[in-house]
Amino acid sequence: MSFAIPKNVPSFNSEQRAHEDVYWGAARRPQHNGNARNGSLGNTFNGLFDSNKSLPMYKDKPFSYTASPRTSPLYFRKRFWFFLVVTFVNFFFFNSYLRPSDETLEGRHNGSTSPWEWMKESSSSTADWELRQDAARDAFKISWDGYANNAWGMDEYHPMSKTGKQMSPTGMGWIIVDALDTLMIMNLTSRLSHARAWISTSLNYNQDQEVNTFETTIRMLGGLLSAHYLSTEYPDMAPLSEDDVGKPGEDLFLEKAADLADRLLGAFDTTSGVPLASVNLKTLKGIPSHDDDGASSTAEAASIQLEFKYLAMLMGEKVYWERAERVMKVIDDNGMADGLLPIFIYADQGHFRGSNIRLGSRGDSYYEYLIKQYLQTSGEEPIYLDLWEQALAGVRKYLITYSKNAHLTILAERPDGLAQDLSPKMDHLVCFMPGTIALAATGGLPLADARKLSDWTPKKEDEVELARELMKTCWGMYKATATGLAPEIAHFTIDKPPHMESDGPLKSKDIDFDSPLDSTGWKKDYIIKAQDSHNLQRPETVESLFYMWRITGDAMYREWGWEMFKSFVEHSALKGGAGFTSLQNANVVPPKVKDNMESFWLAETLKYFYLLFGPVDVLPLQDVVLNTEAHFFPRFKLQRGLKTGWTRKRRDKGGRIVWEDEGTKEGEKKMKEKPTSVADASGTMKVEAKGRPTTIKTIEVVDANPGDKVDMVDKMDKMDKMDKMDKMDKLDKMDKVEKVDKADQSVLQS
């Protein structure tokens, strides 16, 4: 199955082309009336079998690379009818014995033997990883079936109350679309068929609804594109005849993706090109954030590139590529030294808001997408490798510190800028970094193979070691709680002043996380506050465990993942096969629950468990890039006229932009017009010009040397005092202006 551009196409060279694409693109897709029939076929059978326990339409096959039914449709039809007859016979005559193993976890809650009891008996010496992978698959099936039985077609699922809720008038497919590629890699054919039928008949993005630009891009657009990729390149994964080549629905996922992308483009219609936080899917109008003074988060603005660039490659439409790429240029043109960015950016100006620096919420996936953009285009865009390396160096210089007792590596925050105090806090979201660092160091190759390459360096070896240490810290977040499930946020006990990696790296002590006799004091290093103790089924730690296992080959990461998986089963699985729930408090047993099953539980967390426990040659990291929602995209070479359309401005050793015309009138003008929120390693200093005429009432000035800050602002003030001078002679006369108001100087230096 492949997508081909029609023979008759309009001119791609017209200046109006980009505007036409946005307007007509959103209207050209076939629209549906939105009257969902709940997938129809599966529910018809479920209604027939309704007896307070559900049976799957057919038993899903275990994954294998066997010949696809695409090549043998007659055999597939015979098998279907044969299986249907057998199912009816078994139901009516042996119902008292027939009970699918994945139907319920009720046994654990009513005192009888749990179907998961065998998990406690497995050890590393006898580990059956195929069986463990099946357990992850079973957990997915229970979660999916609970949703399908109680809230099918809904965007939210509350498994305790067995209810659902829509995020838009007719639904976004939030859970269904997000889980498509998980269904595929687990080869859950019947469930995939049910999902595909709903998408074909009920999913309609032409809704008068405001949606989050970033979340809709990574989950919905990413999910559809990943489903298109897997169904095209891996046709034996949960094969369906409906998307065979030549069938009317062969490009269903791609068509839906293009329709959605055309609507999302409205968010990019800003002066700077940075997308607004939200967009209305029907009017195509972008909407600023309702919080944060209307600013978009940096992570959200800069984590849509993989999706739009892959779509551009598939469709041959440069508008997707150019819109996504421009965001990177605008961000980088702010001139942030050390590659560390504030977590908010004004979409209309393209300038940052505030000076909060962190790799947790609002900041995280910006850094993730730097290296992944480089890998996505097979290393043909080195500009993104340069950005990644600069950012990682900044992280190591300003954010890496150590816990007081066990010397655990902490990736901390600088909420008031890099010159201000460190906050020893890590969101669980930060735990994407160990795997991402290892991925960047080896390019996705196994470590043993990467070390043989001519470009392997001690620096890369050191980065892998950093990944190991951060992975250990993230694992400790799980071991520190009563349930074995990590809190949303952990704080740490550190030395005062903190020992930074730039002071000399520290290796963590040899910790026995399970021994009460451990003498390292590691548990005292973790501070879990009551308001941070919830667990939202997040994937970041198991995500990094997956990368660390694939890259290092160290079985310890698999064992950690298995222990984590067992904790999820023990503390978040609900009776009656309703699914798994988030926890309100993961630090008490029994835990307090939230009655919510996140879409990323299906799209990411269980997917990563399944891949972690499975064979390493399935979807090798050298061939694919996973977006921040764990959706698969292929690596590809630049083609179809796509290329890197921007370059970085020249910088000094500190990473600050060096203007080509520095020292000239134009250079001074640029300095005066610098973005008001630019800050670097020395932080931000606000200087107010009080009681005197000036064109700059409040400015923020940055430089590595505080004295230079004063000097630069002083020159600006001199220029303001010389407004009546001949502009052509202004710079020459600046040097002759010697007298500076002492009161003004005092204000500046304070």
Side-chain angles (χ1 to χ4, degrees), residues 63 65 129-130 132-138 140 181-187 226 230 234 237 539 542-551 557-559 561-562 565 601-621 624-627 629-633:
F63 180 81
Y65 287 98
W129 289 106
E130 184 177 354
R132 291 180 174 186
Q133 187 182 39
D134 285 343
R137 188 170 178 265
D138 288 343
F140 178 91
D181 54 4
T182 311
L183 289 164
M184 289 178 174
I185 67 169
M186 291 184 178
N187 214 38
S226 182
L230 293 183
Y234 297 90
M237 286 184 175
V542 67
E543 171 187 350
S544 279
L545 289 174
F546 160 70
Y547 281 109
M548 295 300 289
W549 156 244
R550 284 278 184 102
I551 289 170
Y557 299 121
R558 273 182 137 184
E559 292 294 345
W562 177 243
F565 176 77
W601 168 249
L602 300 171
E604 298 186 76
T605 309
L606 289 174
K607 179 187 292 168
Y608 280 124
F609 278 127
Y610 183 79
L611 292 170
L612 175 63
F613 303 153
V616 297
D617 58 349
V618 174
L619 295 165
L621 295 178
V624 299
V625 171
L626 283 83
N627 84 338
E629 190 73 7
H631 294 311
F632 302 96
F633 302 149

Side-chain angles (χ1 to χ4, degrees), residues 59 73 99 110 134 255 309-310 332 339 439 485 512-513 643 674:
K59 183 176 175 61
R99 189 178 184 87
N110 63 16
D134 285 343
E255 289 171 355
K309 291 169 83 171
Y310 177 41
D332 194 53
L439 175 67
L485 296 174
D512 186 345
F513 285 107
K643 61 182 179 180
K674 279 183 73 173

Side-chain angles (χ1 to χ4, degrees), residues 174-185:
W174 207 251
I175 292 175
I176 295 173
V177 172
D178 213 9
L180 282 173
D181 54 4
T182 311
L183 289 164
M184 289 178 174
I185 67 169

Side-chain angles (χ1 to χ4, degrees), residues 216-232:
T216 306
T217 298
I218 65 167
R219 301 192 197 206
M220 300 298 95
L221 182 59
L224 290 165
L225 290 173
S226 182
H228 171 77
Y229 167 61
L230 293 183
S231 64
T232 302

Side-chain angles (χ1 to χ4, degrees), residues 30-41 43 147 151-155 166 168-174 176-177 193-207 220 224 252-253 256 259 281:
Q31 303 298 335
H32 307 287
N33 59 18
N35 296 324
R37 292 181 296 156
N38 256 10
S40 309
L41 190 56
N43 281 343
Y147 164 72
W152 181 249
M154 298 290 178
D155 295 322
Q166 294 290 32
S168 67
T170 60
M172 293 281 294
W174 207 251
I176 295 173
V177 172
S193 180
H194 192 193
R196 192 186 186 285
W198 185 89
I199 291 170
S200 178
T201 61
S202 303
L203 182 58
N204 174 16
Y205 287 122
N206 187 31
Q207 302 181 54
M220 300 298 95
L224 290 165
L252 172 67
F253 299 133
K256 291 289 185 182
D259 173 46
L281 292 177

Side-chain angles (χ1 to χ4, degrees), residues 421-665:
D421 290 343
L422 188 81
S423 174
K425 163 181 171 284
M426 277 179 65
D427 293 357
H428 186 276
L429 291 165
V430 177
C431 289
F432 81 94
M433 271 296 277
T436 303
I437 292 171
L439 175 67
T442 69
L445 290 171
L447 183 58
D449 294 340
R451 283 171 170 161
K452 297 175 183 176
L453 299 178
S454 59
D455 63 350
W456 188 255
T457 62
K459 175 176 171 287
K460 291 183 178 181
E461 194 74 50
D462 190 48
E463 288 170 357
V464 172
E465 185 59 30
L466 174 62
R468 290 182 186 274
E469 291 291 340
L470 281 172
M471 189 78 261
K472 188 174 182 180
T473 304
C474 290
W475 174 234
M477 291 172 68
Y478 283 76
K479 300 300 293 183
T481 68
T483 62
L485 296 174
E488 180 72 358
I489 299 170
H491 291 76
F492 295 85
T493 303
I494 62 173
D495 291 320
K496 295 183 179 180
H499 183 99
M500 306 300 296
E501 188 187 37
S502 53
D503 298 325
L506 299 178
K507 185 175 177 59
S508 62
K509 295 180 181 178
D510 188 11
I511 301 172
D512 186 345
F513 285 107
D514 295 312
S515 174
L517 302 178
D518 181 83
S519 60
T520 63
W522 69 272
K523 207 161 189 178
K524 296 178 182 178
D525 287 336
Y526 289 87
I527 302 170
I528 301 173
K529 300 180 180 180
Q531 67 269 26
D532 302 329
S533 62
H534 48 290
N535 180 282
L536 301 181
Q537 305 172 305
R538 288 201 184 276
E540 289 77 24
T541 297
V542 67
E543 171 187 350
S544 279
L545 289 174
F546 160 70
Y547 281 109
M548 295 300 289
W549 156 244
R550 284 278 184 102
I551 289 170
T552 70
D554 190 337
M556 171 182 69
Y557 299 121
R558 273 182 137 184
E559 292 294 345
W560 286 359
W562 177 243
E563 188 172 340
M564 187 191 308
F565 176 77
K566 290 193 294 182
S567 294
F568 274 116
V569 171
E570 180 66 24
H571 297 292
S572 67
L574 298 174
K575 64 180 180 179
F580 289 69
T581 184
S582 301
L583 304 181
Q584 183 66 40
N585 187 348
N587 206 22
V588 293
V589 176
K592 296 179 181 179
V593 298
K594 287 179 67 71
D595 190 21
N596 190 57
M597 190 175 80
E598 298 285 352
S599 77
F600 52 69
W601 168 249
L602 300 171
E604 298 186 76
T605 309
L606 289 174
K607 179 187 292 168
Y608 280 124
F609 278 127
Y610 183 79
L611 292 170
L612 175 63
F613 303 153
V616 297
D617 58 349
V618 174
L619 295 165
L621 295 178
Q622 306 94 294
D623 297 340
V624 299
V625 171
L626 283 83
N627 84 338
T628 197
E629 190 73 7
H631 294 311
F632 302 96
F633 302 149
R635 299 194 188 189
F636 57 85
K637 297 281 189 180
L638 291 176
Q639 55 187 288
R640 309 188 80 167
L642 302 175
K643 61 182 179 180
T644 309
W646 68 287
T647 57
R648 301 190 73 191
K649 295 184 183 298
R650 189 164 63 89
R651 285 164 167 76
D652 62 19
K653 292 182 179 179
R656 293 161 302 185
I657 292 176
V658 176
W659 302 106
E660 297 295 336
D661 47 10
E662 227 172 66
T664 67
K665 283 187 303 179

